[in-house]
């Protein structure tokens, strides 16, 4: 099988269809496009859980892994509470590197007001570079829990910040010497700094306050993958204006250099939000210093239409993330 997320038919056939629902406390279980599980623990309180392995980068891994999991929790509308870390290290790893990784993770937890709850750390010869799997826990009142199943035709689709932030920052850090030989140092430095945009916890909080139907963190597979998963998970169609999808020039330049499609590349830091009040949400996001754009609407039926001026085409099934072409 190819590196990256499982193709949707394989995921459905060999993973999701093997899992049965048997506990009434489980409100949300595994499905296409659903990043979190939800467990009812009281009359009105729900625990939300998510898990992620971080495989695309080594640099700033401690910070990166916390942001990715907190973002998944935030996409459900939940307040992130804590994380558990499973850290698998190659035997080339030295203790000072491990200490630095944990210091990065703890600093990011402090910024997000969450805690490291526990986990497991070991040295193993089954990995070639550090691998962290993070399980996150959050909480939310049941009435505020958002899932893709709540999406209906005729709603606005909003994207926060810019697509490709995560991959651009990774490429700028991992390939800094190569890129610096091609681009001005200022462009590479700005791209490396895109890591400061990785959290969507604030984006989600503003969306929940404004009134949101569902949210989806744009991660592996990029904005095209997120659009497909959102449509599949909700059973609605889409009509999206490609020219409105927000993207930074640094991302365009770096993706062009490596021959990558920026619409199919890791984009943590950008949240996809479905709401009845897209333009009002954009106004509130902008008031808090967060760029937001209405890129299209949900529709009836199953068509997933991408418009680019006069050109009209249909969204393809998700492809392997473009970042693996360089770092795979």
């Amino acid at each position: 099988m190819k590196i990256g997320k499982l193709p949707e038919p394989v995921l459905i056939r060999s993973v999701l269809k093997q899992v049965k629902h048997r506990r009434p406390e489980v409100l949300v279980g595994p499905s296409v496009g659903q990043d979190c599980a939800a467990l009812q623990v009281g009359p009105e309180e729900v625990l939300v859980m998510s898990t992620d392995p971080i495989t695309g980068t080594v640099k700033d891994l401690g910070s990166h892994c916390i942001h990715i999991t907190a973002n998944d929790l935030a996409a459900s509308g939940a307040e992130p509470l804590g994380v558990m870390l499973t850290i698998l290290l190659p035997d080339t790893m030295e203790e000072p590197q491990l200490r630095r990784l944990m210091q990065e993770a703890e600093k990011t937890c402090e910024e997000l007001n969450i805690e490291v709850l526990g986990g497991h750390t070991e040295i193993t010869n089954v990995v070639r570079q550090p691998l962290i799997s993070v399980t996150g826990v959050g909480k939310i009142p049941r009435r505020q829990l958002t899932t893709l199943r709540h999406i209906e035709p005729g709603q606005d689709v909003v994207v926060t910040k810019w697509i490709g932030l995560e991959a651009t920052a990774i490429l700028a850090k991992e390939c800094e010497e190569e890129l610096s030989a091609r681009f001005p140092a200022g462009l590479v430095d700005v791209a490396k700094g895109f890591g400061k945009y990785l959290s969507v916890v604030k984006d989600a909080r503003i969306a929940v306050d404004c009134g949101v139907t569902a949210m989806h963190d744009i991660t592996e597979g990029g904005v095209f993958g997120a659009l497909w998963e959102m449509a599949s998970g909700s059973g609605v169609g889409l009509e999206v204006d490609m020219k409105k999808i927000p993207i930074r020039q640094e991302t365009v330049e770096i993706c062009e250099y490596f021959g990558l499609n920026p619409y199919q590349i890791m984009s943590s830091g950008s949240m996809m939000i479905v709401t009845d009040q897209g333009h009002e949400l954009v106004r509130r996001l902008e008031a808090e210093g967060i760029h937001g754009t209405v890129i299209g609407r949900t529709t009836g039926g199953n068509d997933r239409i991408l418009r680019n001026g006069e050109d009209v085409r249909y969204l393809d099934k998700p492809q392997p993330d473009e970042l693996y072409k360089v770092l795979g």
Side-chain angles (χ1 to χ4, degrees):
M1 292 189 285
K2 293 181 179 179
I3 290 174
K5 281 187 175 181
L6 279 177
E8 186 177 305
V10 178
L11 174 67
I12 293 172
R13 182 172 63 245
S14 296
V15 178
L16 299 182
K17 284 191 174 180
Q18 311 310 313
V19 178
K20 309 302 179 187
H21 175 57
R22 61 182 61 88
R23 297 288 306 198
E25 299 93 339
V26 179
L27 303 179
V28 178
S31 63
V32 174
Q34 188 65 49
D35 293 326
C36 294
L39 304 170
Q40 184 155 5
V41 294
E44 294 297 329
E45 190 161 59
V46 172
L47 284 183
V48 175
M49 304 181 72
S50 176
T51 187
D52 273 294
I54 309 303
T55 57
T57 184
V58 174
K59 295 185 178 179
D60 299 323
L61 182 59
S63 172
H64 198 92
C65 72
I66 303 301
H67 278 309
I68 299 307
T69 299
N71 286 352
D72 277 346
L73 296 172
S76 72
E79 175 192 357
L81 298 176
V83 294
M84 299 189 72
L85 308 176
T86 297
I87 304 175
L88 304 179
L89 304 173
D91 58 9
T92 55
M93 189 84 166
E94 300 293 338
E95 185 179 347
Q97 295 172 282
L98 172 60
R99 185 181 302 115
R100 185 164 60 251
L101 185 154
M102 286 305 304
Q103 288 169 344
E104 290 174 6
E106 174 57 27
K107 182 175 184 294
T108 306
C109 284
E110 182 180 13
E111 292 169 359
L112 297 174
N113 191 32
I114 64 179
E115 291 197 22
V116 175
L117 304 173
H120 176 80
T121 307
E122 72 171 80
I123 312 297
T124 173
N125 60 10
V126 302
V127 298
R128 295 174 296 173
Q129 66 183 44
L131 171 64
I132 302 183
S133 182
V134 187
T135 298
V137 181
K139 68 175 182 178
I140 187 174
R142 180 168 181 172
R143 67 184 182 280
Q144 293 181 2
L145 182 66
T146 67
T147 74
L148 299 181
R149 295 195 300 259
H150 295 145
I151 297 174
E152 298 178 349
Q155 296 187 294
D156 293 326
V157 179
V158 176
V159 166
T160 69
K161 304 192 189 84
W162 307 273
I163 66 165
L165 292 172
E166 177 185 15
T168 306
I170 290 172
L171 289 168
K173 293 172 184 176
E174 300 284 349
C175 307
E176 181 176 3
E177 185 175 346
E178 180 180 354
L179 291 171
S180 295
R182 170 66 176 81
F183 296 108
L187 183 145
V188 178
D189 287 341
V190 169
K192 286 167 57 182
F194 282 175
K196 67 184 178 183
Y197 296 120
L198 282 186
S199 176
V200 294
V201 173
K202 185 176 180 181
D203 312 34
R205 186 165 61 247
I206 294 168
V208 169
D209 290 343
C210 185
V212 62
T213 299
M215 296 180 282
H216 192 44
D217 186 23
I218 307 176
T219 54
E220 190 170 328
V223 67
F224 281 176
L227 284 166
W228 181 279
E229 290 177 350
M230 190 180 73
S232 289
S234 62
V236 300
L238 292 170
E239 187 163 334
V240 173
D241 187 340
M242 289 276 293
K243 291 185 176 180
K244 291 185 178 179
I245 296 176
I247 184 169
R248 291 283 296 255
Q249 189 61 32
E250 293 85 357
T251 299
V252 173
E253 298 281 355
I254 289 174
C255 283
E256 240 177 49
Y257 172 77
F258 286 112
L260 308 178
N261 185 337
Y263 300 96
Q264 293 174 196
I265 204 161
M266 293 182 187
S267 294
S268 289
S270 184
M271 180 79 93
M272 187 173 293
I273 303 168
V274 179
T275 176
D276 291 320
Q277 308 175 69
H279 294 285
E280 172 62 16
L281 173 58
V282 167
R283 187 189 68 77
R284 294 198 193 185
L285 287 165
E286 297 282 356
E288 295 291 332
I290 299 172
H291 184 62
T293 311
V294 177
I295 67 166
R297 290 177 67 77
T298 59
T299 62
N302 294 314
D303 289 345
R304 297 154 192 184
I305 298 171
L306 299 175
R307 296 188 180 275
N308 190 0
E310 296 299 316
D311 182 42
V312 177
R313 68 183 184 89
Y314 291 91
L315 185 67
D316 293 327
K317 290 182 179 180
Q319 302 299 311
D321 195 282
E322 292 282 282
L323 186 63
Y324 294 124
K325 292 181 179 179
V326 179
L327 302 181

